Structure formats: C-alpha cells, structure tokens
Amino acid sequence: MDISDPEGTMVLRGAVDVPGVVADRFKLDAYGNVLRVVSNQWDDGRQTYLTTVNLANPDSLAVMATLPFERASGDTLFATRFDGARAYVVTYLITDPLFVLDLSDPYNPRVEGELEVPGWSTYIEPQGDYLITLGVDNTEGQRVSVSLFNVASVAAPSLVDRVSFGEGWSWSSAYNDVKAFAIYGDVLAVPFSGWTEDVGGFERLQFVTWSPEGLDVRGYVDLQGELVRSLSYEELYFGLTAEELAAIDASDLDAPLVENRLALAEHVADFAPLDDTTGVEVITQYATGNTLVRAKDLPMKASGEIEVDVGELSSAFAYGSSVILVGVEWPQRISDGVYSDASYIVAKVDFTNPAAPQLDGRLEVDVSPYYGYWRYPMPLLDSSALDGGIYYPYWYPSYEQQQAFIAGGRLVLRCMADAYDATVGAETPGQGIAVVSFSPLALERTIALGYERVDSVDAAGEEVIVGTSVSADADVSSRPPRVAHYVALLDIVNATAGASVNVPGEVAQYEPDTGLLILRDYQWGLAWDYSSQLRTARWDGAGDATLLDSINIPDGAAQVIARGERVYMDVYQEGYKLYAARIGAFGGITLGEGVLATEQWGSLVGATEDAAYVTIGNGAIARYSFAGPGELTDLVEVMGVPSVIRFGASQAYAPLGYFGIATLPL
C-alpha cells in the first residue's frame, strides 16, 4: 500500500497470495527488498509454510520461494521470530519443534536446525546467540514457562535451561499481549496467573535472571489484577494492571516488595444504600481475596473504608446502619488428600460513623453453601382448580437462586449439612437453612427442609415461605406426567412449619399482610401444546388457598418479577419487549400491552412497584415507568452490564464491576 499522500489517501500497489493464515505481526518481516511470511494452512492436514516475496517492484510483487515444513505436518503454528538472515519457528502437536531457518538466500530458504522439547513457545526474543522464549510447559499440567536456547550453531540448537511457574495450571497475560513480558538486561519480568490451595487465585509478577549458563528463578510480587505492562525506572520496577500501578522495590530480587499502590480501577460488586446521606460500595479484590467496603456520602463522595475477609463474596445487604456481607470459603487442603468443607462466612460492618467503619462481628457458618440448579422442560396436564388439583411445572433454565436473604431481622442462608438442629417436613431432607442473628452475630440454629423437592425459599415478613413440589406419577408412556405444588410458612425462631398447602404454580410473591399469593405456572396439554400462566390466590398462611384469577402470559416470557401490585415480564417477540400486569385489590389480573425496549437484546435487572429497569445491550440502562401505560422515562449510558439494581430513598444504583456505579432516578 502506498501511504505517502499527506491527505491520507491510500493506493494499492501490489498483492500476492500465500497459503493459509498469517496469524500475527511476528509472522511478517521485511528485510531489504524481501518480505518473509510464515503461514499455517488448516486444510490438507494442517501445513506450515515460509514464503519469500520480492518487493523490488511494489506494483508487481513476485513470490521467490515457498518452503513447506515437512516435519511440521499436522502441527499448529505458534511462536515465530525473524532475526536478520534467520528465522525461528515453533509448531506443536505432541512436542515443540523449534525450527531454525537460514534465509540468506531468499530463493532457497532452508531449515538448517531443529530441536524437540516438551510444550510449546508463544513468544521468542532473540538475544544474540541465545533465544529467550515464553511458553507452556505441559509436562505437569500446563504451566507458564521460560526457556533459554543456544542458537550459536544454526544446525544444532540446544535447550540451555527451562523454568516453570504455578501448580498444575497457570497462564500468562503475555500469551495474548507479548508486551506484558519484558526483558531488562539480565532480568526477565514474567507475568503469570494461577491458583493454589493455600492462597487461592493470584496475579503475579515473577522475576527471573538469565545468563549464558542458565535461568535463575528469583522472587515475585502479587498484584491486584492481571499484568498489562511492566517497566523499570531508576532503582524501581513498576507493574501496571487494569486495576493498579504498583511500585516495586527489587533491590533484592529474591525478596521484591511492593512499596506503593495507586488504584486505577476497582471491581464494584455491589452497593448498599443505608439512608438518604450514606451508601456503601462493596468492592471485591481478586489478588487478596478480601472484600473492601467503603462508605459514600451521597451523592457519591468517598468516606471511610475497611477491608474484610469473607472469602468469595456472595451477597451484601443494608441492615440499619450496618452492611451484612456473605461470602463462601472454598475447601482448603488440611493435609495430603484431606480437605476442609466449603462454608459460609458472614461479616457485619457498622457504618454509624461513615468516616470510620468498624467490623462488628465475623462468623464462620459450618454448613455447605446451597447453589441453584438448572431445570429442564417436562410435560404436564392442564389444571384450574385447587381442590386436590395436580400440577406440573415446565422446568426451565433458571438463574442461580439466591443463597441468602433477610427475614424477621435475621439472616437466612440456604445450605446443605450432614445434621441439623431441627427438621420440618416428613421427607429425607436434601437441603436446609441456617439462621443467623445480628446482635451479636451468631448462628441461632439450622433447620432441615424435609420435602421431596424444594423449589423456592424466600422471606415472607417475619417468616419464610417455602415452595415445594411432589411428583404425582412417573408413567409418561401414554400421557404427560404430573406434579403437585405446595407452599408452607416456616417460623425460623421456633423452627416450626405450618401445613403444606396445594397451589397452582411456583411462588413469585407472597404478601402476608394481605394474604395475596402470586404464582407462575407452566402447562403442557394432552396434545403437548404449551402455555404459561400468571395466577393469584388468597391464602392466610394456614388453611387452604383460594384461586382468584389466572391469565396466560406471553409465550417465551423469561423473567417474572413481582413488586407489590405489579408483575413485570420480559420476552423476545420481534425484539426485546417488556410487559407489566397489574394485580387488583381482590386479586384480579390485568395484563398491559408489550413495550418494545430494543430490537437487539436486553435484560430485566430490577423493578419497583411503578418502574422496571432493563439493560439495553452493553451500553445503557433504561427506566420504564408503568404508573400508566408503559413508557421510557430515562436512559442512562453506561459501560458494563449490571446484574442487580439497588434502591435508595431518592435514587437507584447499578453496580457495574470495573466501570463503577451508575446512579438512576427512581
């Protein structure tokens, strides 16, 4: 391409075809009037080629030679580097052949040397008679490795030394961005990521020194975030990640220290509005494994902060002037072959003085955390009455069910355990709940849920509502199978449950004050026709439930979120649409018209009684008011996609991970 025009007009001068794919910039090199190209062709059994092209006449490019790598037939092409009249090429199938090419005669390029070593190289850095390579050591798992080769003899390259990092499996940001790997004289700065049983996941900058005699592994520092670049300045090294700039004192390379850290970005996992003037950012730190909670004077001015170890953050809740953090501690190795069980960690942080938050308790709850599950389509019979009626849900892919919630001024943790303090229900329990008090932070009791299948567990005022189901039959040879849905109220203080009552569907919401149940049901008819219903029922929490109303909801509806008198649904129907149903005082259901939010993709992430909040692609959060007919009232451009919306007294907040927090109108 002729790019000499200062106005920017580019002109094609010449072109030439080479076999296969040219994967990256290291596969191309112009040396004098010769272009050298290494390519890999996937058909014909996967072949690697070197092509030389005469550049003397840009308007008439001519291929000078094409050299197939016969010994690399079937291999994948990895690292390539040109160095004057030489080229170094690495391919891999079972072992890593390093090919050394003599390109001094572009009409007759030759493979002069070859060396097979385990694993493969992803990057090559020539250093005179030596090559330093970054790659993968696959002798024990797949670990980041650095190799030193002697290539003084073109015909007889040799491996001088190789060192590897990590336990079993590790990886490097430099695999995809070679500038993350750096050489400073005799010092190599090698980024790698991994996981160990002792510290969990980590992001690390490893120092290695090299000489013609070999490689010496020196010390390392752990960083917050994956390394993007390192640099050396005066007596310091610097590590740049997407999250921080770390100043590193490596005067003792065997024991380098991070002297200072400048935060560039933080992963905001959640936000907890406490009152009109104070909110709390919940920030997860991958490198340390800790959670940072920081008070924000609203509107969004940073105040005091405290770092808390709760393992892997699962949930965060505002509770009075405090924030409750729930995390999961994954199994740890106790000895060879012996591991601890997973458990919950709960912490309470007091923000009475936002400038100086205090840890007000940390509790390890020795139960196994419960996780939601995926559910799959199953058929059922139609039904419309409650008197002993049998119902079968359409089992659908669901989001992970919430592990924790607050009910009756206590924290409820869904869990699994070998033994419980109490049991409700008559079946063998497959799961239960742990009840934690806040003042002081303590485990009150564990309660086993002795039901055939537990579909949902949620807060219902001072109690917990448990949705269950029972298979009615298993013979599906001639007709669809059936199931019965039930609900029961669980008193978490006294560890007692009321009778299970048959209801037509899964619980979407229960209002104890009004006794109104909102249910979502899935139905297959005898002709295998499918429908989905929204139903309401009146239930006093003890006796039988009375069906009030039932409507069909739009086909393909994904999420159903009930908020007071409204139920929101989203569905793809020639675009992404929102629907809102209004629930009357006597349980009547009125379904509104669908509102087209976007012709692309979206997701319903939160709602109040009057408005729904949806993500629009990756670029915006939209607020739709349903005080009247559904209409777009606000559109806030963002980076990232929120998984939840938190509601304060005067604003809504969307945590966006590394992109901070978006504030939205209520």
Side-chain angles (χ1 to χ4, degrees):
M1 301 293 295
D2 185 340
I3 58 172
S4 60
D5 183 2
E7 299 298 323
T9 300
M10 296 182 288
V11 179
L12 176 64
R13 296 289 298 274
V16 65
D17 291 337
V18 297
V21 174
V22 182
D24 57 61
R25 67 186 183 90
F26 294 104
K27 307 294 188 288
L28 291 162
D29 184 72
Y31 186 65
N33 279 329
V34 179
L35 174 69
R36 294 92 63 89
V37 183
V38 176
S39 57
N40 191 242
Q41 191 170 34
W42 281 40
D43 53 6
D44 296 329
R46 188 171 295 184
Q47 301 290 330
T48 298
Y49 298 90
L50 170 79
T51 304
T52 54
V53 181
N54 192 333
L55 301 178
N57 182 357
D59 296 304
S60 181
L61 301 182
V63 172
M64 304 169 78
T66 300
L67 172 67
F69 287 62
E70 302 293 351
R71 290 275 290 112
S73 179
D75 286 11
T76 298
L77 176 62
F78 281 95
T80 300
R81 194 65 184 263
F82 293 94
D83 187 21
R86 288 188 187 181
Y88 305 101
V89 177
V90 170
T91 63
Y92 175 80
L93 181 60
I94 299 175
T95 57
D96 168 359
L98 168 65
F99 297 100
V100 182
L101 283 70
D102 181 352
L103 307 181
S104 56
D105 180 359
Y107 288 97
N108 185 30
R110 302 184 309 276
V111 175
E112 291 288 347
E114 179 182 338
L115 177 66
E116 288 193 355
V117 294
W120 63 92
S121 299
T122 60
Y123 176 67
I124 300 172
E125 183 68 37
Q127 296 284 304
D129 289 338
Y130 296 89
L131 300 180
I132 296 171
T133 72
L134 175 75
V136 177
D137 177 1
N138 66 347
T139 56
E140 297 179 8
Q142 287 193 3
R143 298 183 295 160
V144 176
S145 68
V146 174
S147 301
L148 178 66
F149 295 94
N150 187 326
V151 290
S153 171
V154 178
S158 62
L159 176 65
V160 178
D161 201 0
R162 168 177 278 188
V163 293
S164 302
F165 317 106
E167 294 182 6
W169 294 84
S170 59
W171 57 97
S172 175
S173 56
Y175 287 163
N176 298 316
D177 182 358
V178 297
K179 290 184 178 181
F181 173 74
I183 300 176
Y184 305 106
D186 64 344
V187 177
L188 313 180
V190 186
F192 79 100
S193 310
W195 184 90
T196 68
E197 294 165 342
D198 296 329
V199 301
F202 59 80
E203 302 289 352
R204 191 161 287 174
L205 179 60
Q206 174 74 56
F207 292 99
V208 178
T209 53
W210 79 279
S211 69
E213 286 70 41
L215 301 166
D216 290 318
V217 178
R218 310 299 291 273
Y220 63 83
V221 294
D222 285 331
L223 302 174
Q224 184 70 33
E226 193 174 65
L227 188 87
V228 177
R229 296 288 186 273
S230 65
L231 60 134
S232 174
Y233 181 72
E234 294 181 347
E235 297 180 355
L236 292 175
Y237 290 92
F238 292 86
L240 176 66
T241 76
E243 299 180 41
E244 70 174 5
L245 176 64
I248 304 163
D249 179 0
S251 53
D252 180 358
L253 271 177
D254 292 316
L257 296 171
V258 176
E259 282 195 342
N260 200 359
R261 300 177 188 267
L262 175 65
L264 304 177
E266 296 172 312
H267 187 270
V268 183
D270 213 333
F271 186 79
L274 299 182
D275 53 37
D276 288 344
T277 61
T278 306
V280 176
E281 281 183 324
V282 182
I283 298 162
T284 55
Q285 300 175 323
Y286 179 79
T288 66
N290 290 342
T291 298
L292 183 69
V293 282
R294 177 184 299 135
K296 288 282 191 176
D297 297 330
L298 301 180
M300 305 305 288
K301 181 180 178 182
S303 187
E305 64 185 35
I306 186 173
E307 194 171 288
V308 184
D309 178 11
V310 292
E312 182 180 296
L313 181 71
S314 172
S315 309
F317 304 97
Y319 184 74
S321 59
S322 298
V323 169
I324 308 300
L325 303 174
V326 180
V328 174
E329 183 73 18
W330 293 106
Q332 302 293 314
R333 183 172 65 179
I334 299 172
S335 60
D336 289 343
V338 179
Y339 294 83
S340 64
D341 294 328
S343 61
Y344 281 114
I345 297 178
V346 180
K348 180 183 179 185
V349 183
D350 184 356
F351 282 90
T352 302
N353 179 5
Q358 299 292 319
L359 182 63
D360 192 26
R362 182 181 182 276
L363 174 69
E364 183 169 346
V365 185
D366 190 18
V367 294
S368 295
Y370 168 82
Y371 287 91
Y373 45 87
W374 292 87
R375 299 183 290 177
Y376 298 95
M378 294 293 287
L380 68 160
L381 285 173
D382 187 34
S383 53
S384 57
L386 285 170
D387 299 335
I390 296 175
Y391 311 93
Y392 203 89
Y394 176 78
W395 282 39
Y396 62 100
S398 65
Y399 292 106
E400 183 177 284
Q401 297 188 37
Q402 61 178 350
Q403 292 176 297
F405 55 88
I406 292 177
R410 292 167 173 81
L411 178 67
V412 178
L413 302 170
R414 296 186 68 174
C415 66
M416 295 173 288
D418 295 330
Y420 297 87
D421 298 324
T423 300
V424 296
E427 302 294 330
T428 301
Q431 60 175 284
I433 61 172
V435 181
V436 176
S437 63
F438 293 137
S439 299
L441 197 64
L443 175 64
E444 287 189 350
R445 64 189 56 83
T446 58
I447 305 172
L449 302 177
Y451 303 101
E452 180 177 312
R453 182 168 54 236
V454 177
D455 297 323
S456 62
V457 182
D458 207 348
E462 296 295 310
E463 298 180 300
V464 167
I465 186 168
V466 182
T468 65
S469 55
V470 176
S471 297
D473 54 42
D475 181 11
V476 296
S477 58
S478 60
R479 60 176 175 76
R482 298 173 294 179
V483 79
H485 280 294
Y486 295 89
V487 293
L489 283 182
L490 171 58
D491 182 337
I492 57 176
V493 175
N494 299 307
T496 58
S500 292
V501 176
N502 184 212
V503 293
E506 295 183 332
V507 179
Q509 179 179 277
Y510 178 58
E511 295 286 355
D513 293 340
T514 62
L516 185 65
L517 262 174
I518 299 175
L519 305 152
R520 183 181 186 180
D521 197 12
Y522 302 84
Q523 300 282 339
W524 285 98
L526 289 174
W528 301 97
D529 51 311
Y530 162 73
S531 64
S532 179
Q533 289 80 31
L534 186 68
R535 306 185 193 275
T536 56
R538 189 76 67 189
W539 181 47
D540 63 6
D544 292 337
T546 303
L547 183 67
L548 299 176
D549 199 2
S550 179
I551 64 166
N552 288 326
I553 61 177
D555 291 341
Q559 297 187 81
V560 171
I561 298 179
R563 294 289 184 267
E565 296 180 355
R566 283 188 178 81
V567 181
Y568 300 100
M569 294 155 277
D570 60 353
V571 61
Y572 284 93
Q573 292 178 337
E574 299 179 349
Y576 177 77
K577 289 184 178 180
L578 282 175
Y579 286 84
R582 185 178 182 88
I583 311 298
F586 299 101
I589 309 172
T590 304
L591 180 64
E593 295 291 328
V595 178
L596 179 64
T598 174
E599 294 182 352
Q600 304 303 315
W601 66 271
S603 179
L604 177 60
V605 290
T608 64
E609 192 163 344
D610 292 327
Y613 295 77
V614 300
T615 59
I616 305 297
N618 285 321
I621 303 172
R623 177 185 182 273
Y624 282 85
S625 172
F626 285 90
E631 61 177 345
L632 174 67
T633 57
D634 301 277
L635 186 69
V636 178
E637 294 184 8
V638 297
M639 297 176 68
V641 179
S643 59
V644 68
I645 303 291
R646 300 300 187 191
F647 299 100
S650 58
Q651 283 189 306
Y653 304 89
L656 297 167
Y658 287 111
F659 302 109
I661 297 173
T663 57
L664 307 158
L666 281 178

